[in-house]
Amino acid sequence: MLVRLRLSAQMTFSHFSHNGKILPSEQSVVPLSRIEYTYGFGVYETIRVVAGIPFFLHDHLDRLRISAEAIELEHSFTPQMLEKSVKELIEKTESKAFNLKMLLIGGATKKDAELFILCLNPLYPDRKLYKTGARCISYQYERAFPQAKTLNMLQSYLAYREAKRAGAYDALLINSKGCITEGTRTNFFAMKGKKLFSPPAAEILLGVTRKAVLQVALANGYSLEERAIPLRTVASYDGAFITSTSSKIVPIARINQAALNPQDPHLQELIKLFDQFLKTCNGKLD
């Protein structure tokens, strides 16, 4: 039995990359009997592509490496080979804007690891959320390897499903101390004035978009403090937001029953600054 990896709802992409070789999408399959895949022994990255430019490619490749090292997934793919494979697939793809998903699946030995790169349609938020703000719920869960983006996403899937059932945009994960760590597919920030507050770096996935947002914020007079953010204290902040590859910066209007101000002037300023950065950065961080 085989599981097909091509996941496309709006646009059909004709090719994918397997271990550096461009192949027709019909061949993008993994045997269901492969225990490493079915047990989630793998890591992945999602890269935004606009006008042929893979945004923050080197940062994504570096995090893929960090994720693999965190779960001791050995492989023989070099950074140069990964970058070459990404660019070759982009050249083969006609769409102007899409996401690339890199799946690095481990094996019994280093040579058995496989690399799949797929083209996917981005899941953009409703544009009105950038003004009205998103609703989030809380969900009790701590990831086993917080700084690794692994394929073992069952609890995050269940949390996200719970959010959708509640009519919310995302679920914010709560640790054993009652503190917010991150969303199921997003990073979380709270803010007072131009000071940003983030959960401690050791407890979260260090998102590439999070890194880009911080670069823009710190260059424009904002500051950052990493500290525990108890769920019970969220209403005391001026605002809060989440970040991800496809959503960029989405302000939060409500977490459970706690109301926040999505129109906070400093938050809206940061959204505009980041949008402008994305238009002019040519897909690279300093």
Side-chain angles (χ1 to χ4, degrees):
M1 291 289 290
L2 299 172
V3 57
R4 189 170 299 281
L5 292 178
R6 182 162 59 87
L7 307 171
S8 177
Q10 301 166 4
M11 177 181 296
T12 300
F13 297 98
S14 59
H15 293 84
F16 80 110
S17 175
H18 178 232
N19 293 346
K21 184 177 181 180
I22 304 295
L23 297 170
S25 291
E26 290 73 18
Q27 298 181 31
S28 56
V29 294
V30 173
L32 286 176
S33 60
R34 179 163 182 173
I35 193 169
E36 290 83 8
Y37 180 75
T38 55
Y39 278 32
F41 183 51
V43 296
Y44 73 99
E45 284 292 319
T46 301
I47 303 171
R48 182 186 184 200
V49 179
V50 179
I53 298 174
F55 272 61
F56 317 134
L57 176 58
H58 291 168
D59 301 274
H60 280 289
L61 296 183
D62 191 49
R63 190 174 63 176
L64 187 76
R65 174 187 60 79
I66 292 170
S67 294
E69 289 175 354
I71 62 171
E72 299 183 27
L73 190 165
E74 295 185 334
H75 62 91
S76 57
F77 305 115
T78 66
Q80 294 76 19
M81 178 269 184
L82 295 173
E83 182 172 352
K84 181 174 181 288
S85 298
V86 165
K87 292 182 176 179
E88 287 179 347
L89 182 57
I90 291 173
E91 290 175 0
K92 193 73 174 177
T93 305
E94 296 180 356
S95 177
K96 296 293 184 181
F98 57 98
N99 283 349
L100 285 180
K101 187 163 189 177
M102 304 182 71
L103 297 172
L104 177 57
I105 304 172
T109 69
K110 184 176 181 177
K111 293 183 179 179
D112 294 324
E114 291 186 274
L115 174 71
F116 295 87
I117 308 176
L118 317 171
C119 298
L120 301 176
N121 292 296
L123 298 176
Y124 295 124
D126 189 325
R127 291 187 63 83
K128 70 180 182 181
L129 292 182
Y130 294 103
K131 292 293 185 182
T132 63
R135 180 187 165 205
C136 295
I137 65 168
S138 61
Y139 188 92
Q140 193 80 28
Y141 171 53
E142 293 181 66
R143 293 191 300 112
F145 297 92
Q147 293 196 323
K149 197 162 185 172
T150 75
L151 300 185
N152 185 3
M153 295 288 288
L154 174 60
Q155 282 296 124
S156 292
Y157 175 88
L158 296 178
Y160 186 73
R161 184 180 67 179
E162 195 69 23
K164 295 294 100 178
R165 286 174 174 173
Y169 180 75
D170 199 4
L172 300 178
L173 307 182
I174 310 300
N175 65 19
S176 60
K177 298 178 182 177
C179 297
I180 299 171
T181 55
E182 58 198 348
T184 63
R185 57 198 65 195
T186 56
N187 281 120
F188 173 80
F189 289 92
M191 60 191 306
K192 287 185 178 180
K194 297 187 74 168
K195 187 168 188 177
L196 305 181
F197 299 90
S198 167
E203 300 177 8
I204 62 175
L205 181 70
L206 297 177
V208 173
T209 300
R210 174 187 184 273
K211 180 180 180 180
V213 167
L214 285 176
Q215 177 176 301
V216 172
L218 297 178
N220 286 277
Y222 291 77
S223 60
L224 171 69
E225 179 181 330
E226 291 186 7
R227 73 180 189 190
I229 304 175
L231 176 61
R232 58 181 172 76
T233 67
V234 292
S236 67
Y237 290 91
D238 295 341
F241 61 92
I242 48 181
T243 64
S244 73
T245 295
S246 294
S247 66
K248 303 182 292 185
I249 298 175
V250 175
I252 297 175
R254 185 174 295 274
I255 302 174
N256 295 338
Q257 301 307 312
L260 291 153
N261 180 17
Q263 286 293 321
D264 175 76
H266 297 301
L267 173 50
Q268 286 296 321
E269 177 190 42
L270 184 58
I271 291 173
K272 292 177 182 178
L273 288 168
F274 189 61
D275 285 345
Q276 183 60 34
F277 170 76
L278 291 176
K279 292 177 182 178
T280 59
C281 70
N282 201 34
K284 296 180 180 180
L285 289 171
D286 293 338

